Amino acid sequence: MVSSTSSTPPRLASPAPPSLETLVSHLVASKRSLSSVEQVWRGHEIIETTRFHLEASVTASARSSFLRSGIATQLQTLNLVHAHSKSVEVEGAQEYEEVFRTLDEADQRLKATMHRLRSTMVESRLRPESDQPKCLFDFVDEGSVEKVLAAIQDSAKAAQAAHQQLVETNLGFHSDVSRVKILLESPKAQQPHHSLVDEAQEYSGRQITIESPIPDILQDMETRSREMADNLESLVKHFDLCLMAIKHTEGGGDAAIKMTADLPDGAGLEEDMAGAPKPISEQERQEMLDVLAKDAEQVEEVVMEIRDHVTAMEAQLETVVAYLTELQHESSSVAAAFRLLEDIGSRLHAFVAQSQVFVMRWDEEKAKVNERMEELSSLEDFYLGYLSAYDNLLVEIGRRQFMEQQMEKVVQDATRKLDILYEEDSARRESFKQNYGDYLPMDIWPGLTNPPLQYETKLVDGVEKVPDISKSVIQRAIRRVEGSRRQSVT
């Protein structure tokens, strides 16, 4: 708007002066346009509110950044502690599996050996005829095996309970730390529709970088406020020009008051028409009317421009409030994360102690299991020795059978030879008697007519013969013994 009455070069012709009614309508429109002062004041309020929000956002952002920095450091420490406890859990599980895998193998070997004892029947010739058939396992104290297995089972349960307790502790600790991280990430997750905040925030796992949009918005608001003030000043000057034009028109003041009498309160012109006008020349009046006509065409445009500025500032204020709200949510979440972190810290000693307790209990139970494994191994060795001894017993019986047979052969051969010698001696004695008996007196040697010496062989009383075990049984025993010897050599 021009709103000026400065002198211009003389013109050859001037347009017809506006009617009084036109001037009054310009004056009324100008009067109404001055209500834009409320829009200007609203713009000022918006700027003040935005400045307050800027201070609040800076405070919230600084507090969040400070807490995030501390939380990031603490999270690194907690992650290291959890990683160590997790490694203890994993290593414990691996050791448990390895120990009990070895234990299962030993148990399977022992059961296989016991099965061999159950499937190996004692030769009936070795037992009294009244006995029921028995296997080698019938002569074993099964209670010792059950006792060892029960002790192993108890150790396994104790180790599993300790490991499960550590697993649950680690899961709880990890859950708490994850809740801290979720709280740090939650503002962005809870308010995904705020594009300004999405652009302003970039979460990197442990730190967040916030570039507030408020300073740029505030700068734009101040620019709009200055433009609104300039526009309002132009409207005020236009109103003053309208008053001057009415006052310098004959009968204009009374006509303007009469024509605006039916307007709402505050829109009348009685006060504005008070006072006498300053005298001006006709040329100055014409120039004033020309400027007035041009400015009148722009009044509505200027009013709309002020309203557009306020509307834009209201939208900007909503953006600022939305940003601040999310920033406050983020600050609240960070504060909640910090409180949770403090709670975790108060339980950190117990958490660390739990892994140490597990290591102590596992070492204790592992020592017990290893001791029981040695007992199982000893039992297995004993049972294998028992099996081997039984096989060697059968081999020994075979050897004794062979020796008895050899002895019997010797006895039979000796008996035959003694019988031959006896017959030969008897025949010679009889021949001697026939040849010389008649010449020798009977009392010259009382033993002259005695028969030859006679021997007999018999078993010593109380000594039993070796049981009659079949050769096939003994041969199988010999093969098993020789096979065991080859295995021991290799």
Side-chain angles (χ1 to χ4, degrees):
M1 297 181 64
V2 179
S3 300
S4 174
T5 58
S6 58
S7 60
T8 58
R11 292 171 293 180
L12 296 176
S14 299
S19 65
L20 179 60
E21 183 179 353
T22 300
L23 291 177
V24 172
S25 66
H26 289 339
L27 179 62
V28 172
S30 177
K31 175 73 172 179
R32 287 174 175 171
S33 70
L34 294 183
S35 63
S36 297
V37 68
E38 296 179 2
Q39 305 290 331
V40 175
W41 277 110
R42 176 54 187 162
H44 178 71
E45 291 175 355
I46 291 174
I47 289 176
E48 291 301 318
T49 301
T50 302
R51 287 196 180 102
F52 175 79
H53 288 340
L54 175 61
E55 294 177 0
S57 69
V58 170
T59 301
S61 179
R63 180 169 55 248
S64 296
S65 298
F66 175 76
L67 289 178
R68 280 183 178 274
S69 177
I71 292 173
T73 301
Q74 295 301 319
L75 282 178
Q76 289 178 352
T77 302
L78 293 180
N79 285 333
L80 291 175
V81 173
H82 179 260
H84 172 72
S85 183
K86 188 66 177 179
S87 67
V88 171
E89 173 193 331
V90 173
E91 290 175 3
Q94 292 174 346
E95 286 187 5
Y96 180 88
E97 292 178 359
E98 179 63 23
V99 168
F100 281 90
R101 182 186 62 80
T102 305
L103 182 61
D104 287 340
E105 293 175 355
D107 183 50
Q108 292 300 321
R109 291 194 303 270
L110 178 61
K111 288 180 178 178
T113 303
M114 293 170 66
H115 176 72
R116 290 176 59 188
L117 292 176
R118 288 190 177 95
S119 61
T120 302
M121 301 302 296
V122 178
E123 289 296 323
S124 59
R125 298 294 181 89
L126 300 179
R127 304 295 303 160
E129 293 182 0
S130 59
D131 274 8
Q132 295 294 326
K134 291 186 177 181
C135 63
L136 292 182
F137 193 76
D138 291 331
F139 299 91
V140 172
D141 181 14
E142 190 175 1
S144 59
V145 178
E146 295 177 350
K147 182 179 179 181
V148 172
L149 293 178
I152 291 174
Q153 195 70 17
D154 292 342
S155 295
K157 290 181 180 179
Q160 284 180 334
H163 186 264
Q164 184 60 31
Q165 188 173 2
L166 179 62
V167 170
E168 293 175 356
T169 301
N170 283 342
L171 286 175
F173 187 81
H174 181 265
S175 176
D176 288 343
V177 174
S178 297
R179 285 171 57 199
V180 173
K181 294 179 180 178
I182 290 173
L183 286 172
L184 293 179
E185 296 171 356
S186 61
K188 188 170 182 177
Q190 292 172 358
Q191 306 286 340
H193 56 281
H194 292 312
S195 59
L196 275 174
V197 178
D198 288 345
E199 295 173 0
Q201 297 186 148
E202 181 180 358
Y203 184 72
S204 60
R206 292 188 176 87
Q207 293 183 346
I208 186 168
T209 302
I210 301 179
E211 295 179 0
S212 173
I214 299 180
D216 291 339
I217 291 177
L218 181 60
Q219 185 177 1
D220 183 71
M221 285 181 175
E222 290 174 343
T223 300
R224 291 179 183 275
S225 178
R226 287 193 294 271
E227 293 178 1
M228 290 167 62
D230 292 341
N231 288 337
L232 181 62
E233 184 179 0
S234 297
L235 292 176
V236 171
K237 289 181 179 180
H238 176 67
F239 177 72
D240 292 341
L241 195 62
C242 289
L243 284 177
M244 186 178 295
I246 292 292
K247 288 180 179 181
H248 284 84
T249 301
E250 183 177 357
D254 294 337
I257 293 173
K258 182 178 180 181
M259 293 174 65
T260 60
D262 58 344
L263 293 178
D265 294 342
L269 300 174
E270 291 85 351
E271 295 181 1
D272 298 325
M273 291 293 105
K278 179 181 178 181
I280 57 174
S281 64
E282 186 62 27
Q283 182 179 359
E284 290 176 338
R285 182 176 179 276
Q286 185 60 46
E287 292 175 353
M288 177 184 64
L289 292 176
D290 291 342
V291 172
L292 178 64
K294 293 179 181 180
D295 287 352
E297 297 174 356
Q298 302 177 27
V299 168
E300 187 63 26
E301 181 181 349
V302 172
V303 171
M304 290 302 299
E305 185 177 347
I306 292 175
R307 290 178 181 174
D308 289 344
H309 281 313
V310 172
T311 300
M313 292 172 71
E314 292 283 4
Q316 288 176 320
L317 180 60
E318 290 181 2
T319 300
V320 169
V321 171
Y323 173 79
L324 180 61
T325 299
E326 184 169 350
L327 198 61
Q328 289 172 339
H329 288 164
E330 188 265 348
S331 180
S332 298
S333 295
V334 172
F338 183 76
R339 290 192 296 271
L340 179 56
L341 198 64
E342 286 184 323
D343 180 63
I344 295 173
S346 66
R347 294 181 281 110
L348 185 60
H349 176 73
F351 173 75
V352 174
Q354 184 60 48
S355 63
Q356 295 173 344
V357 169
F358 167 74
V359 171
M360 293 174 60
R361 292 184 62 184
W362 170 233
D363 287 343
E364 180 181 348
E365 297 303 329
K366 183 167 57 176
K368 292 180 180 178
V369 170
N370 289 332
E371 184 178 349
R372 300 298 181 270
M373 285 178 62
E374 291 180 0
E375 293 181 15
L376 282 181
S377 180
S378 297
L379 285 173
E380 181 189 4
D381 292 340
F382 175 78
Y383 292 155
L384 288 174
Y386 180 24
L387 281 167
S388 177
Y390 180 71
D391 286 337
N392 280 277
L393 173 62
L394 295 177
V395 174
E396 175 65 13
I397 291 175
R399 185 193 67 78
R400 294 186 183 186
Q401 285 180 343
F402 175 76
M403 295 305 297
E404 283 187 355
Q405 293 171 359
Q406 295 300 313
M407 288 181 182
E408 289 176 355
K409 288 180 180 180
V410 171
V411 170
Q412 292 174 0
D413 184 59
T415 301
R416 182 179 59 81
K417 290 180 179 180
L418 286 173
D419 289 342
I420 293 172
L421 291 174
Y422 180 81
E423 292 297 332
E424 181 181 352
D425 189 24
S426 294
R428 290 189 175 188
R429 289 188 183 206
E430 184 61 29
S431 175
F432 178 82
K433 180 180 178 182
Q434 292 294 331
N435 292 328
Y436 305 105
D438 292 338
Y439 301 103
L440 293 173
M442 291 297 295
D443 55 353
I444 194 171
W445 176 38
L448 178 63
T449 58
N450 288 343
L453 293 177
Q454 194 170 14
Y455 296 88
E456 67 176 336
T457 57
K458 63 178 181 178
L459 292 174
V460 176
D461 293 339
V463 178
E464 296 181 359
K465 295 188 64 176
V466 176
D468 186 14
I469 306 298
S470 66
K471 291 183 179 180
S472 60
V473 172
I474 294 174
Q475 288 299 322
R476 287 195 295 270
I478 291 174
R479 287 194 293 270
R480 288 195 294 270
V481 170
E482 291 178 348
S484 297
R485 288 174 180 172
R486 285 194 297 268
Q487 287 181 356
S488 63
V489 171
T490 57

